PDB file of all heavy atoms in Angstrom:
ATOM      1  N   ILE H   4      51.581   1.580 -18.667  1.00 98.00           N
ATOM      2  CA  ILE H   4      50.242   1.584 -19.252  1.00 98.00           C
ATOM      3  C   ILE H   4      50.193   0.435 -20.248  1.00 98.00           C
ATOM      4  O   ILE H   4      51.031   0.358 -21.151  1.00 98.00           O
ATOM      5  CB  ILE H   4      49.948   2.910 -19.990  1.00 98.00           C
ATOM      6  CG1 ILE H   4      50.012   4.099 -19.027  1.00 98.00           C
ATOM      7  CG2 ILE H   4      48.602   2.840 -20.712  1.00 98.00           C
ATOM      8  CD1 ILE H   4      49.995   5.453 -19.719  1.00 98.00           C
ATOM      9  N   ALA H  25      43.765   2.593 -27.770  1.00 98.00           N
ATOM     10  CA  ALA H  25      43.951   3.556 -26.677  1.00 98.00           C
ATOM     11  C   ALA H  25      45.425   3.695 -26.311  1.00 98.00           C
ATOM     12  O   ALA H  25      45.891   4.796 -26.005  1.00 98.00           O
ATOM     13  CB  ALA H  25      43.133   3.144 -25.457  1.00 98.00           C
ATOM     14  N   ALA H  26      46.176   2.599 -26.363  1.00 98.00           N
ATOM     15  CA  ALA H  26      47.627   2.676 -26.104  1.00 98.00           C
ATOM     16  C   ALA H  26      48.298   3.561 -27.147  1.00 98.00           C
ATOM     17  O   ALA H  26      49.190   4.355 -26.828  1.00 98.00           O
ATOM     18  CB  ALA H  26      48.243   1.280 -26.089  1.00 98.00           C
ATOM     19  N   GLY H  27      47.861   3.445 -28.395  1.00 98.00           N
ATOM     20  CA  GLY H  27      48.379   4.327 -29.446  1.00 98.00           C
ATOM     21  C   GLY H  27      48.033   5.780 -29.174  1.00 98.00           C
ATOM     22  O   GLY H  27      48.850   6.678 -29.402  1.00 98.00           O
ATOM     23  N   ASP H  28      46.826   6.008 -28.652  1.00 98.00           N
ATOM     24  CA  ASP H  28      46.433   7.371 -28.280  1.00 98.00           C
ATOM     25  C   ASP H  28      47.299   7.900 -27.132  1.00 98.00           C
ATOM     26  O   ASP H  28      47.649   9.081 -27.105  1.00 98.00           O
ATOM     27  CB  ASP H  28      44.952   7.419 -27.889  1.00 98.00           C
ATOM     28  CG  ASP H  28      44.014   7.171 -29.070  1.00 98.00           C
ATOM     29  OD1 ASP H  28      44.433   7.333 -30.236  1.00 98.00           O
ATOM     30  OD2 ASP H  28      42.840   6.799 -28.812  1.00 98.00           O
ATOM     31  N   CYS H  29      47.659   7.019 -26.187  1.00 98.00           N
ATOM     32  CA  CYS H  29      48.570   7.407 -25.086  1.00 98.00           C
ATOM     33  C   CYS H  29      49.919   7.830 -25.659  1.00 98.00           C
ATOM     34  O   CYS H  29      50.479   8.859 -25.257  1.00 98.00           O
ATOM     35  CB  CYS H  29      48.791   6.246 -24.118  1.00 98.00           C
ATOM     36  SG  CYS H  29      47.403   5.832 -23.066  1.00 98.00           S
ATOM     37  N   ALA H  30      50.437   7.021 -26.580  1.00 98.00           N
ATOM     38  CA  ALA H  30      51.730   7.337 -27.192  1.00 98.00           C
ATOM     39  C   ALA H  30      51.665   8.687 -27.905  1.00 98.00           C
ATOM     40  O   ALA H  30      52.594   9.498 -27.789  1.00 98.00           O
ATOM     41  CB  ALA H  30      52.139   6.221 -28.154  1.00 98.00           C
ATOM     42  N   ALA H  31      50.573   8.946 -28.607  1.00 98.00           N
ATOM     43  CA  ALA H  31      50.426  10.225 -29.305  1.00 98.00           C
ATOM     44  C   ALA H  31      50.389  11.387 -28.307  1.00 98.00           C
ATOM     45  O   ALA H  31      51.037  12.413 -28.525  1.00 98.00           O
ATOM     46  CB  ALA H  31      49.162  10.212 -30.165  1.00 98.00           C
ATOM     47  N   LEU H  32      49.658  11.224 -27.204  1.00 97.00           N
ATOM     48  CA  LEU H  32      49.591  12.275 -26.180  1.00 97.00           C
ATOM     49  C   LEU H  32      50.965  12.581 -25.601  1.00 97.00           C
ATOM     50  O   LEU H  32      51.260  13.730 -25.254  1.00 97.00           O
ATOM     51  CB  LEU H  32      48.670  11.851 -25.042  1.00 97.00           C
ATOM     52  CG  LEU H  32      47.175  11.984 -25.255  1.00 97.00           C
ATOM     53  CD1 LEU H  32      46.410  11.317 -24.114  1.00 97.00           C
ATOM     54  CD2 LEU H  32      46.781  13.453 -25.360  1.00 97.00           C
ATOM     55  N   LEU H  33      51.786  11.535 -25.486  1.00 98.00           N
ATOM     56  CA  LEU H  33      53.119  11.693 -24.890  1.00 98.00           C
ATOM     57  C   LEU H  33      54.213  11.872 -25.942  1.00 98.00           C
ATOM     58  O   LEU H  33      55.402  11.845 -25.627  1.00 98.00           O
ATOM     59  CB  LEU H  33      53.431  10.491 -23.995  1.00 98.00           C
ATOM     60  CG  LEU H  33      52.521  10.374 -22.767  1.00 98.00           C
ATOM     61  CD1 LEU H  33      52.745   9.055 -22.048  1.00 98.00           C
ATOM     62  CD2 LEU H  33      52.748  11.553 -21.821  1.00 98.00           C
ATOM     63  N   ASN H  34      53.784  12.041 -27.201  1.00 97.00           N
ATOM     64  CA  ASN H  34      54.709  12.307 -28.306  1.00 97.00           C
ATOM     65  C   ASN H  34      55.803  11.243 -28.427  1.00 97.00           C
ATOM     66  O   ASN H  34      56.996  11.562 -28.502  1.00 97.00           O
ATOM     67  CB  ASN H  34      55.317  13.709 -28.163  1.00 97.00           C
ATOM     68  CG  ASN H  34      55.897  14.203 -29.467  1.00 97.00           C
ATOM     69  OD1 ASN H  34      55.428  13.841 -30.531  1.00 97.00           O
ATOM     70  ND2 ASN H  34      56.926  15.037 -29.373  1.00 97.00           N
ATOM     71  N   THR H  35      55.373   9.984 -28.423  1.00 98.00           N
ATOM     72  CA  THR H  35      56.319   8.882 -28.566  1.00 98.00           C
ATOM     73  C   THR H  35      55.743   7.845 -29.522  1.00 98.00           C
ATOM     74  O   THR H  35      54.595   7.956 -29.947  1.00 98.00           O
ATOM     75  CB  THR H  35      56.660   8.254 -27.188  1.00 98.00           C
ATOM     76  OG1 THR H  35      57.722   7.311 -27.359  1.00 98.00           O
ATOM     77  CG2 THR H  35      55.458   7.579 -26.557  1.00 98.00           C
ATOM     78  N   LYS H  36      56.555   6.870 -29.868  1.00 97.00           N
ATOM     79  CA  LYS H  36      56.131   5.802 -30.790  1.00 97.00           C
ATOM     80  C   LYS H  36      56.555   4.452 -30.227  1.00 97.00           C
ATOM     81  O   LYS H  36      57.462   4.361 -29.405  1.00 97.00           O
ATOM     82  CB  LYS H  36      56.763   6.008 -32.159  1.00 97.00           C
ATOM     83  CG  LYS H  36      56.345   7.315 -32.819  1.00 97.00           C
ATOM     84  CD  LYS H  36      56.577   7.279 -34.300  1.00 97.00           C
ATOM     85  CE  LYS H  36      56.187   8.553 -34.987  1.00 97.00           C
ATOM     86  NZ  LYS H  36      54.856   9.017 -34.825  1.00 97.00           N
ATOM     87  N   ALA H  49      58.245   7.156 -22.736  1.00 97.00           N
ATOM     88  CA  ALA H  49      58.161   8.608 -22.638  1.00 97.00           C
ATOM     89  C   ALA H  49      58.663   9.013 -21.256  1.00 97.00           C
ATOM     90  O   ALA H  49      58.715   8.188 -20.339  1.00 97.00           O
ATOM     91  CB  ALA H  49      56.731   9.073 -22.839  1.00 97.00           C
ATOM     92  N   PHE H  50      59.039  10.260 -21.133  1.00 94.00           N
ATOM     93  CA  PHE H  50      59.445  10.801 -19.841  1.00 94.00           C
ATOM     94  C   PHE H  50      58.592  12.021 -19.541  1.00 94.00           C
ATOM     95  O   PHE H  50      58.445  12.905 -20.380  1.00 94.00           O
ATOM     96  CB  PHE H  50      60.929  11.176 -19.844  1.00 94.00           C
ATOM     97  CG  PHE H  50      61.833   9.989 -19.852  1.00 94.00           C
ATOM     98  CD1 PHE H  50      62.203   9.398 -21.051  1.00 94.00           C
ATOM     99  CD2 PHE H  50      62.293   9.437 -18.665  1.00 94.00           C
ATOM    100  CE1 PHE H  50      63.017   8.276 -21.064  1.00 94.00           C
ATOM    101  CE2 PHE H  50      63.109   8.322 -18.668  1.00 94.00           C
ATOM    102  CZ  PHE H  50      63.467   7.744 -19.868  1.00 94.00           C
ATOM    103  N   VAL H  51      58.017  12.042 -18.345  1.00 89.00           N
ATOM    104  CA  VAL H  51      57.211  13.166 -17.901  1.00 89.00           C
ATOM    105  C   VAL H  51      57.743  13.582 -16.539  1.00 89.00           C
ATOM    106  O   VAL H  51      57.749  12.784 -15.601  1.00 89.00           O
ATOM    107  CB  VAL H  51      55.713  12.785 -17.812  1.00 89.00           C
ATOM    108  CG1 VAL H  51      54.909  13.931 -17.232  1.00 89.00           C
ATOM    109  CG2 VAL H  51      55.178  12.386 -19.175  1.00 89.00           C
ATOM    110  N   ILE H  56      57.605   6.594 -18.388  1.00 98.00           N
ATOM    111  CA  ILE H  56      56.309   5.956 -18.604  1.00 98.00           C
ATOM    112  C   ILE H  56      56.474   4.977 -19.759  1.00 98.00           C
ATOM    113  O   ILE H  56      56.935   5.359 -20.838  1.00 98.00           O
ATOM    114  CB  ILE H  56      55.212   6.982 -18.932  1.00 98.00           C
ATOM    115  CG1 ILE H  56      55.027   7.956 -17.768  1.00 98.00           C
ATOM    116  CG2 ILE H  56      53.894   6.272 -19.268  1.00 98.00           C
ATOM    117  CD1 ILE H  56      54.082   9.104 -18.064  1.00 98.00           C
ATOM    118  N   ILE H  58      54.510   2.372 -22.319  1.00 98.00           N
ATOM    119  CA  ILE H  58      53.211   2.033 -22.894  1.00 98.00           C
ATOM    120  C   ILE H  58      53.425   0.729 -23.647  1.00 98.00           C
ATOM    121  O   ILE H  58      54.317   0.643 -24.500  1.00 98.00           O
ATOM    122  CB  ILE H  58      52.701   3.121 -23.849  1.00 98.00           C
ATOM    123  CG1 ILE H  58      52.707   4.485 -23.159  1.00 98.00           C
ATOM    124  CG2 ILE H  58      51.301   2.772 -24.366  1.00 98.00           C
ATOM    125  CD1 ILE H  58      52.639   5.656 -24.111  1.00 98.00           C
ATOM    126  N   ILE H  89      44.217  -0.947 -20.032  1.00 98.00           N
ATOM    127  CA  ILE H  89      43.085  -0.438 -20.808  1.00 98.00           C
ATOM    128  C   ILE H  89      42.572  -1.571 -21.690  1.00 98.00           C
ATOM    129  O   ILE H  89      43.360  -2.225 -22.387  1.00 98.00           O
ATOM    130  CB  ILE H  89      43.490   0.750 -21.705  1.00 98.00           C
ATOM    131  CG1 ILE H  89      44.225   1.835 -20.912  1.00 98.00           C
ATOM    132  CG2 ILE H  89      42.258   1.322 -22.410  1.00 98.00           C
ATOM    133  CD1 ILE H  89      44.832   2.926 -21.780  1.00 98.00           C
ATOM    134  N   THR H 162      38.401   6.031 -26.877  1.00 98.00           N
ATOM    135  CA  THR H 162      39.801   5.606 -26.671  1.00 98.00           C
ATOM    136  C   THR H 162      40.683   6.796 -26.316  1.00 98.00           C
ATOM    137  O   THR H 162      41.599   6.662 -25.509  1.00 98.00           O
ATOM    138  CB  THR H 162      40.370   4.852 -27.889  1.00 98.00           C
ATOM    139  OG1 THR H 162      40.334   5.686 -29.048  1.00 98.00           O
ATOM    140  CG2 THR H 162      39.629   3.547 -28.132  1.00 98.00           C
ATOM    141  N   LYS H 163      40.398   7.942 -26.880  1.00 98.00           N
ATOM    142  CA  LYS H 163      41.173   9.139 -26.519  1.00 98.00           C
ATOM    143  C   LYS H 163      40.913   9.524 -25.064  1.00 98.00           C
ATOM    144  O   LYS H 163      41.827   9.916 -24.338  1.00 98.00           O
ATOM    145  CB  LYS H 163      40.846  10.298 -27.462  1.00 98.00           C
ATOM    146  CG  LYS H 163      41.506  10.158 -28.827  1.00 98.00           C
ATOM    147  CD  LYS H 163      41.112  11.271 -29.770  1.00 98.00           C
ATOM    148  CE  LYS H 163      41.807  11.197 -31.108  1.00 98.00           C
ATOM    149  NZ  LYS H 163      41.784   9.909 -31.765  1.00 98.00           N
ATOM    150  N   ARG H 164      39.675   9.397 -24.633  1.00 98.00           N
ATOM    151  CA  ARG H 164      39.311   9.680 -23.234  1.00 98.00           C
ATOM    152  C   ARG H 164      40.019   8.696 -22.305  1.00 98.00           C
ATOM    153  O   ARG H 164      40.557   9.085 -21.260  1.00 98.00           O
ATOM    154  CB  ARG H 164      37.793   9.579 -23.096  1.00 98.00           C
ATOM    155  CG  ARG H 164      37.231  10.022 -21.798  1.00 98.00           C
ATOM    156  CD  ARG H 164      35.679   9.981 -21.896  1.00 98.00           C
ATOM    157  NE  ARG H 164      35.068  10.408 -20.672  1.00 98.00           N
ATOM    158  CZ  ARG H 164      34.811  11.652 -20.359  1.00 98.00           C
ATOM    159  NH1 ARG H 164      35.128  12.618 -21.192  1.00 98.00           N
ATOM    160  NH2 ARG H 164      34.252  11.946 -19.204  1.00 98.00           N
ATOM    161  N   ALA H 165      40.034   7.422 -22.675  1.00 98.00           N
ATOM    162  CA  ALA H 165      40.735   6.400 -21.892  1.00 98.00           C
ATOM    163  C   ALA H 165      42.227   6.715 -21.821  1.00 98.00           C
ATOM    164  O   ALA H 165      42.855   6.590 -20.765  1.00 98.00           O
ATOM    165  CB  ALA H 165      40.494   5.012 -22.492  1.00 98.00           C
ATOM    166  N   ALA H 166      42.792   7.135 -22.952  1.00 98.00           N
ATOM    167  CA  ALA H 166      44.215   7.480 -22.993  1.00 98.00           C
ATOM    168  C   ALA H 166      44.519   8.670 -22.090  1.00 98.00           C
ATOM    169  O   ALA H 166      45.515   8.663 -21.344  1.00 98.00           O
ATOM    170  CB  ALA H 166      44.647   7.782 -24.429  1.00 98.00           C
ATOM    171  N   GLU H 167      43.683   9.686 -22.133  1.00 98.00           N
ATOM    172  CA  GLU H 167      43.877  10.855 -21.267  1.00 98.00           C
ATOM    173  C   GLU H 167      43.837  10.450 -19.796  1.00 98.00           C
ATOM    174  O   GLU H 167      44.644  10.926 -18.990  1.00 98.00           O
ATOM    175  CB  GLU H 167      42.815  11.910 -21.552  1.00 98.00           C
ATOM    176  CG  GLU H 167      42.974  12.604 -22.878  1.00 98.00           C
ATOM    177  CD  GLU H 167      41.793  13.488 -23.252  1.00 98.00           C
ATOM    178  OE1 GLU H 167      40.873  13.660 -22.411  1.00 98.00           O
ATOM    179  OE2 GLU H 167      41.786  13.998 -24.387  1.00 98.00           O
ATOM    180  N   ALA H 168      42.928   9.560 -19.454  1.00 98.00           N
ATOM    181  CA  ALA H 168      42.829   9.079 -18.072  1.00 98.00           C
ATOM    182  C   ALA H 168      44.086   8.313 -17.677  1.00 98.00           C
ATOM    183  O   ALA H 168      44.619   8.501 -16.579  1.00 98.00           O
ATOM    184  CB  ALA H 168      41.589   8.201 -17.899  1.00 98.00           C
ATOM    185  N   ALA H 169      44.573   7.450 -18.558  1.00 98.00           N
ATOM    186  CA  ALA H 169      45.778   6.661 -18.268  1.00 98.00           C
ATOM    187  C   ALA H 169      46.991   7.570 -18.081  1.00 98.00           C
ATOM    188  O   ALA H 169      47.784   7.380 -17.151  1.00 98.00           O
ATOM    189  CB  ALA H 169      46.033   5.647 -19.385  1.00 98.00           C
ATOM    190  N   VAL H 170      47.125   8.553 -18.941  1.00 97.00           N
ATOM    191  CA  VAL H 170      48.257   9.480 -18.830  1.00 97.00           C
ATOM    192  C   VAL H 170      48.149  10.299 -17.544  1.00 97.00           C
ATOM    193  O   VAL H 170      49.145  10.546 -16.861  1.00 97.00           O
ATOM    194  CB  VAL H 170      48.360  10.378 -20.087  1.00 97.00           C
ATOM    195  CG1 VAL H 170      49.353  11.517 -19.879  1.00 97.00           C
ATOM    196  CG2 VAL H 170      48.760   9.531 -21.297  1.00 97.00           C
ATOM    197  N   ALA H 171      46.939  10.690 -17.169  1.00 97.00           N
ATOM    198  CA  ALA H 171      46.745  11.418 -15.906  1.00 97.00           C
ATOM    199  C   ALA H 171      47.199  10.558 -14.727  1.00 97.00           C
ATOM    200  O   ALA H 171      47.894  11.045 -13.817  1.00 97.00           O
ATOM    201  CB  ALA H 171      45.285  11.826 -15.741  1.00 97.00           C
ATOM    202  N   ARG H 174      50.930  10.350 -14.611  1.00 95.00           N
ATOM    203  CA  ARG H 174      51.537  11.608 -14.147  1.00 95.00           C
ATOM    204  C   ARG H 174      51.359  11.815 -12.649  1.00 95.00           C
ATOM    205  O   ARG H 174      51.823  12.792 -12.099  1.00 95.00           O
ATOM    206  CB  ARG H 174      50.924  12.786 -14.902  1.00 95.00           C
ATOM    207  CG  ARG H 174      51.378  12.865 -16.333  1.00 95.00           C
ATOM    208  CD  ARG H 174      50.807  14.061 -17.036  1.00 95.00           C
ATOM    209  NE  ARG H 174      51.472  14.216 -18.324  1.00 95.00           N
ATOM    210  CZ  ARG H 174      50.917  14.777 -19.381  1.00 95.00           C
ATOM    211  NH1 ARG H 174      49.695  15.271 -19.303  1.00 95.00           N
ATOM    212  NH2 ARG H 174      51.581  14.876 -20.500  1.00 95.00           N
ATOM    213  N   TYR H 185      36.806  11.355 -15.781  1.00 97.00           N
ATOM    214  CA  TYR H 185      36.712  10.599 -17.026  1.00 97.00           C
ATOM    215  C   TYR H 185      35.669   9.501 -17.060  1.00 97.00           C
ATOM    216  O   TYR H 185      35.333   9.011 -18.132  1.00 97.00           O
ATOM    217  CB  TYR H 185      38.077   9.985 -17.365  1.00 97.00           C
ATOM    218  CG  TYR H 185      39.117  11.038 -17.695  1.00 97.00           C
ATOM    219  CD1 TYR H 185      40.046  11.436 -16.749  1.00 97.00           C
ATOM    220  CD2 TYR H 185      39.152  11.652 -18.939  1.00 97.00           C
ATOM    221  CE1 TYR H 185      41.008  12.412 -17.030  1.00 97.00           C
ATOM    222  CE2 TYR H 185      40.086  12.620 -19.234  1.00 97.00           C
ATOM    223  CZ  TYR H 185      41.013  12.995 -18.280  1.00 97.00           C
ATOM    224  OH  TYR H 185      41.931  13.948 -18.567  1.00 97.00           O
TER     225      TYR H 185
END
Side-chain angles (χ1 to χ4, degrees):
I4 299 169
D28 292 340
C29 288
L32 281 171
L33 295 171
N34 199 30
T35 188
K36 298 200 180 304
F50 288 87
V51 175
I56 298 173
I58 307 162
I89 309 171
T162 60
K163 284 177 177 49
R164 188 174 180 86
E167 289 171 6
V170 169
R174 288 182 170 152
Y185 293 100

